[in-house]
Amino acid sequence: MDRLLISIWIKKMNSIMKICGEQKIQDFDIIPLHLEQFKGTALVCTKNDKYIVKWNDELSYLEYKFHKNFAKWFNQRNSLIIPSFLDISDELSVENGFYFLYHYIESSNRAEYSACARSISEFHRISRDYNNDYYHNLGLNSTKMWLDGLIDAGRCIVNNATFTNGMLFDIDLTECVSDLRNCLKKHYELYDDNCLRNNISICHGDMNLKNFIHCKDGSCRIIDLDTLSYSLRTRDLFCFLKSLCINNKEETVQCLIEYDKICTMDEIEYNLLSIMCNPALNLHYRRYNNYFKTDDDLWRDYIYGIYYVYNILSIIKGEC
């Protein structure tokens, strides 16, 4: 973290802490938190409390207000899923970005994957009821573009002989392509614009394992909310499953079960998730979209993990 940013934070945090009821800070500590992963995040310690401050220079003022208002709305309904956001009006805004200020939460290091899945599901269940017409329409347009790209990629695979009789490690891609063709057919039968409009809601946007805090009080919190947008819940779930595949793929079955208990997935969502997990589609993205392009070992771990999830989804779809 450069000296200029620290000096800006020190000056700003003095005024912010006064608004929060703290005495003027004479000597406090700003500790960078894993800056290689979380750019612009710090732990601020005062005499009476600890705070997490996150700086974002990519949000517009309207986006900042949208995120802040959603966090306030959400915490009124469930205070154990996302950190408590300190609402101090626009004192957090600066010329070149915005600060998000949260109460610091003590956490443990033990990863409880099922707890993560339950937190995602509860987040999605509650977020369905949040209404913002402007950002809903933005999310509808961006999601439609993303979905069109996904389906086009799938159609390119099934219409191209590239993967026919092919193998990915010891995975038979012929069967994967055949299943992809069936999933695309089902997608065309079930999905339309009205379905898309009704199925998008507030999603996290970066739901990987690094964005969960396992708290000492037993709760599991979701952090880094500055990627919020209206989107398909399936995309959040897929992001979580991708992260889980590399770490512990055997946990994915229980996580899917735990998620479905709270936020039940329908046939359309299971079908879309199957398309996203298809190894042939993932190989296509690796070849043409720089997907895991630079790390062969990571790619191998990921593809075996996602193939495991793909087979589980095939079983679940057969039981539906």
Side-chain angles (χ1 to χ4, degrees):
M1 185 183 298
D2 60 47
R3 293 178 180 273
L4 177 60
L5 183 56
I6 290 179
S7 66
I8 292 173
W9 277 7
I10 289 175
K11 183 177 179 181
K12 198 68 183 176
M13 289 307 299
N14 270 310
S15 61
I16 289 172
M17 290 301 104
K18 288 170 65 177
I19 297 171
C20 294
E22 296 273 10
Q23 295 180 353
K24 184 175 180 179
I25 303 168
Q26 299 290 332
D27 182 21
F28 64 94
D29 199 7
I30 298 181
I31 306 172
L33 295 177
H34 310 297
L35 288 183
E36 71 278 7
Q37 300 171 5
F38 303 107
K39 181 181 178 182
T41 303
L43 171 64
V44 179
C45 305
T46 71
K47 181 179 179 181
N48 300 320
D49 212 340
K50 295 180 180 179
Y51 303 89
I52 290 292
V53 59
K54 183 167 185 180
W55 180 58
N56 190 307
D57 61 353
E58 298 178 353
L59 295 179
S60 69
Y61 177 71
L62 285 178
E63 288 172 323
Y64 166 73
K65 295 284 285 186
F66 165 58
H67 291 180
K68 188 177 74 168
N69 290 338
F70 171 78
K72 182 178 180 181
W73 174 90
F74 191 99
N75 271 311
Q76 290 172 348
R77 288 153 180 80
N78 189 316
S79 60
L80 293 177
I81 300 296
I82 64 176
S84 175
F85 182 84
L86 274 67
D87 186 3
I88 51 178
S89 187
D90 296 327
E91 294 291 335
L92 289 176
S93 61
V94 293
E95 183 178 350
N96 59 342
F98 296 95
Y99 293 104
F100 290 90
L101 188 66
Y102 302 90
H103 279 296
Y104 174 71
I105 302 171
E106 294 287 343
S107 63
S108 63
N109 293 322
R110 187 165 60 95
E112 299 174 349
Y113 301 125
S114 293
C116 294
R118 289 191 294 272
S119 293
I120 298 171
S121 189
E122 185 69 8
F123 179 86
H124 286 166
R125 184 189 68 80
I126 295 172
S127 299
R128 283 174 171 176
D129 295 329
Y130 187 76
N131 295 314
N132 184 306
D133 290 340
Y134 176 76
Y135 281 101
H136 183 276
N137 289 331
L138 285 181
L140 185 65
N141 292 332
S142 63
T143 301
K144 190 175 186 306
M145 290 177 60
W146 171 85
L147 190 58
D148 287 345
L150 179 77
I151 300 306
D152 284 346
R155 191 166 53 215
C156 176
I157 292 169
V158 299
N159 292 334
N160 192 312
T162 303
F163 296 142
T164 303
N165 299 321
M167 298 293 292
L168 177 58
F169 304 120
D170 57 354
I171 299 171
D172 183 359
L173 291 177
T174 306
E175 183 179 344
C176 295
V177 173
S178 177
D179 186 58
L180 181 59
R181 182 180 290 107
N182 293 332
C183 287
L184 290 174
K185 181 181 178 182
K186 181 175 289 187
H187 176 82
Y188 289 128
E189 292 172 353
L190 298 176
Y191 224 87
D192 57 30
D193 286 347
N194 287 332
C195 181
L196 177 60
R197 180 175 293 276
N198 294 330
N199 274 276
I200 67 169
S201 58
I202 295 291
C203 292
H204 183 276
D206 189 20
M207 201 71 89
N208 65 75
L209 289 174
K210 296 175 183 176
N211 284 332
F212 294 90
I213 294 179
H214 300 274
C215 307
K216 291 184 177 179
D217 64 4
S219 64
C220 178
R221 306 290 183 100
I222 299 170
I223 61 172
D224 282 1
L225 303 175
D226 52 328
T227 52
L228 293 174
S229 67
Y230 276 90
S231 186
L232 291 169
R233 293 178 291 276
T234 316
R235 295 181 70 180
D236 263 357
L237 183 56
F238 178 66
C239 183
F240 171 66
L241 291 175
K242 280 200 306 181
S243 184
L244 192 58
C245 280
I246 298 171
N247 290 273
N248 193 335
K249 66 178 185 292
E250 288 77 15
E251 293 283 343
T252 54
V253 178
Q254 187 60 37
C255 286
L256 282 168
I257 292 172
E258 293 296 333
Y259 180 90
D260 205 53
K261 285 179 182 177
I262 300 172
C263 192
T264 304
M265 295 173 62
D266 59 23
E267 184 181 9
I268 295 174
E269 290 174 308
Y270 272 117
N271 189 65
L272 182 59
L273 192 58
S274 293
I275 294 174
M276 297 164 73
C277 290
N278 191 293
L281 184 72
N282 282 269
L283 178 58
H284 174 86
Y285 280 141
R286 175 174 165 85
R287 286 180 174 176
Y288 301 108
N289 293 55
N290 292 321
Y291 200 61
F292 283 117
K293 200 81 169 184
T294 59
D295 194 325
D296 290 338
D297 290 336
L298 186 63
W299 163 250
R300 185 180 295 103
D301 291 343
Y302 166 75
I303 204 65
Y304 276 125
I306 210 69
Y307 183 57
Y308 180 86
V309 178
Y310 165 78
N311 284 323
I312 296 300
L313 289 170
S314 297
I315 296 171
I316 293 174
K317 285 197 303 176
E319 295 176 348
C320 290

